[in-house]
Every structure is written in C-alpha cells, then in structure tokens.
C-alpha cells in the first residue's frame, strides 16, 4: 500500500452518456456495448445560475 496513485491512474477518460429522454432499454444497450456500469445523463434544457433566479441570471451570480 506504499504506492501512491494519482487521479489519472484510476479515472475514466472516455465517458459514455445518454440523453435524459433516452428509453431505459437503449441506455442499457449503451452500457452493454461500452462495458460500463453507469452513464452520465445529460439534459438539453437551459441552465440557470441558481434556484433563486431561474430562469435569469441574478446579479449575485454574474
């Protein structure tokens, strides 16, 4: 246990992702095809800076 590891030694550089609207069976196929245990789920709805200023950016968050 004396050997030190850096994040690059254990992290995954290629990320498999699925859109939020993707059916579960398609997401499962992606996971099986890419041999991964999880997916990053992305959503294309516009982001806001924080909960209190949705849907605009408030002065505190600029």
């Amino acid at each position: 246990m004396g050997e030190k590891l850096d994040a690059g030694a254990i992290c995954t550089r290629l990320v498999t992702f699925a859109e939020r609207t993707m059916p579960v069976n398609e997401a499962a196929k992606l996971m099986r095809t890419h041999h991964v245990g999880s997916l990053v789920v992305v959503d294309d709805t516009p982001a806001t800076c924080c909960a209190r200023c949705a849907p605009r950016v408030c002065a505190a968050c600029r």
Side-chain angles (χ1 to χ4, degrees):
M1 200 78 202
E3 184 180 341
K4 292 184 179 182
L5 294 176
D6 62 359
I10 60 173
C11 73
T12 301
R13 296 176 191 276
L14 299 175
V15 177
T16 305
F17 68 93
E19 292 191 23
R20 184 181 62 84
T21 57
M22 179 179 283
V24 173
N25 61 333
E26 286 185 34
K29 286 179 188 176
L30 269 178
M31 293 172 73
R32 189 170 44 248
T33 300
H34 294 280
H35 305 284
V36 295
S38 60
L39 298 170
V40 174
V41 179
V42 296
D43 188 357
D44 63 356
T45 57
T48 59
C49 61
C50 66
R52 71 174 179 267
C53 59
R56 293 177 296 283
V57 178
C58 69
C61 296
R62 285 188 204 148

